[in-house]
Amino acid sequence: MRRSHFPAILTWAVLIFFYVPIILLVINSFNLNRQGTVWTGFTLKWYEQLFSAKGRAIWSALSNTLIVALLSTVGATILGTCGAFALHKFKSKFQNFHYCLIYTPLVVPDILIGISLLIFFMAVKIQLGLSTIVIAHITFCVSYVAMAVLSRLQDFDMTILEAARDLGANRWTTTWKVLVPIILPGIFAGALLAFTLSIDDFVITFFVNGPGTTTLPIQIQGMIKRGALPLINALSTLLLAITFLAILGYQILLKRSQRQSG
């Protein structure tokens, strides 16, 4: 039987579709041509402008983005983990309603969430700013954390907690010595997902941000309108480099820990 080459062709087509634009972005960050349509020479001018006075707005937006992402990740991780444990442990007639509340932010369009949160903040007369962005991000990130933790709790046997209490452990010890270590991978996965979604969010943040609280996605959108593509290319290249270095560092640490344990 002749082996089909279609899966390999499809795989390479998908890889090219995903990675060629990224490669072009990195190349254009060193391109002297401002529009990036043709190669006119190598330059580091865009990186120099990024770290000069022209890039202050970008770094301010990046700091706002990181602050919002960290705060929303902490809040969503705590609330999502508690919600997932409550959904898994307690059974009642209203459990389907509770699941509906958790699933709703996952399926509702971001634009509807953004508009509804804006109306709510205006109704209760809350000044738009970083605080409203953090609340909005916690609102939609909680569902992702809860789903990640719930998937980990599916294989969790609640009798383990009862056995720990029978052996003399109090509720605090049972929670931190038995429950949390078992579901920690789910908590960590949910926190990483919440952090990524918070940094990447544009639509919801667009509705609930206030003056002077621009995040990086909104800043980039404004720069695209003004035609500042070279600075965006330089910033994106730096973020890619940081991401790859973080992954590489993690892999090195993982291999070292495996060698030490082996």
Side-chain angles (χ1 to χ4, degrees):
M1 183 176 179
R2 187 175 180 181
R3 186 176 180 180
S4 175
H5 296 287
F6 179 75
I9 295 174
L10 182 61
T11 301
W12 279 106
V14 172
L15 291 175
I16 292 172
F17 177 79
F18 277 115
Y19 289 103
V20 166
I22 297 177
I23 295 173
L24 292 177
L25 181 146
V26 174
I27 293 174
N28 281 323
S29 69
F30 301 101
N31 190 356
L32 187 60
N33 189 329
R34 186 177 184 85
Q35 301 300 324
T37 54
V38 293
W39 179 265
T40 57
F42 180 86
T43 183
L44 296 175
K45 179 174 67 175
W46 313 124
Y47 290 92
E48 294 175 358
Q49 291 185 4
L50 185 63
F51 290 97
S52 65
K54 293 184 178 180
R56 289 180 181 176
I58 297 177
W59 299 115
S60 176
L62 179 60
S63 64
N64 289 337
T65 301
L66 293 177
I67 291 172
V68 170
L70 290 173
L71 292 177
S72 59
T73 298
V74 172
T77 301
I78 295 173
L79 294 176
T81 302
C82 294
F85 182 73
L87 286 173
H88 180 75
K89 181 178 180 181
F90 302 106
K91 306 297 180 182
S92 65
K93 297 179 180 179
F94 299 100
Q95 197 71 313
N96 291 332
F97 176 70
H98 296 160
Y99 273 108
C100 182
L101 290 179
I102 293 294
Y103 278 114
T104 298
L106 301 178
V107 296
V108 173
D110 288 348
I111 190 171
L112 295 182
I113 298 177
I115 293 174
S116 60
L117 286 172
L118 176 61
I119 295 174
F120 170 76
F121 292 141
M122 294 178 63
V124 297
K125 297 181 179 180
I126 298 179
Q127 183 68 32
L128 297 181
L130 282 180
S131 59
T132 55
I133 299 176
V134 171
I135 294 172
H137 284 205
I138 290 175
T139 301
F140 73 85
C141 286
V142 164
S143 300
Y144 293 93
V145 176
M147 291 299 102
V149 178
L150 269 175
S151 64
R152 183 66 180 178
L153 287 171
Q154 296 299 324
D155 300 326
F156 181 73
D157 188 2
M158 299 299 294
T159 58
I160 297 177
L161 301 180
E162 298 176 2
R165 295 192 186 102
D166 292 338
L167 293 174
N170 56 29
R171 188 177 298 273
W172 179 265
T173 304
T174 302
T175 300
W176 289 101
K177 297 294 185 180
V178 180
L179 177 62
V180 172
I182 293 177
I183 65 174
L184 188 60
I187 297 175
F188 187 68
L192 285 178
L193 186 59
F195 184 79
T196 303
L197 291 171
S198 178
I199 287 181
D200 192 53
D201 181 74
F202 171 80
V203 177
I204 297 176
T205 307
F206 178 81
F207 286 97
V208 299
N209 74 314
T213 56
T214 303
T215 58
L216 189 59
I218 296 178
Q219 179 68 25
I220 291 176
Q221 188 261 352
M223 292 172 63
I224 292 175
K225 287 184 176 181
R226 297 191 298 269
L229 291 177
L231 292 180
I232 298 175
N233 293 337
L235 176 64
S236 301
T237 302
L238 289 178
L239 294 177
L240 282 172
I242 293 173
T243 302
F244 285 128
L245 289 175
I247 296 174
L248 180 62
Y250 172 76
Q251 292 294 331
I252 293 174
L253 292 176
L254 182 62
K255 289 182 179 180
R256 287 183 179 178
S257 62
Q258 290 176 350
R259 290 175 182 176
Q260 292 176 356
S261 61

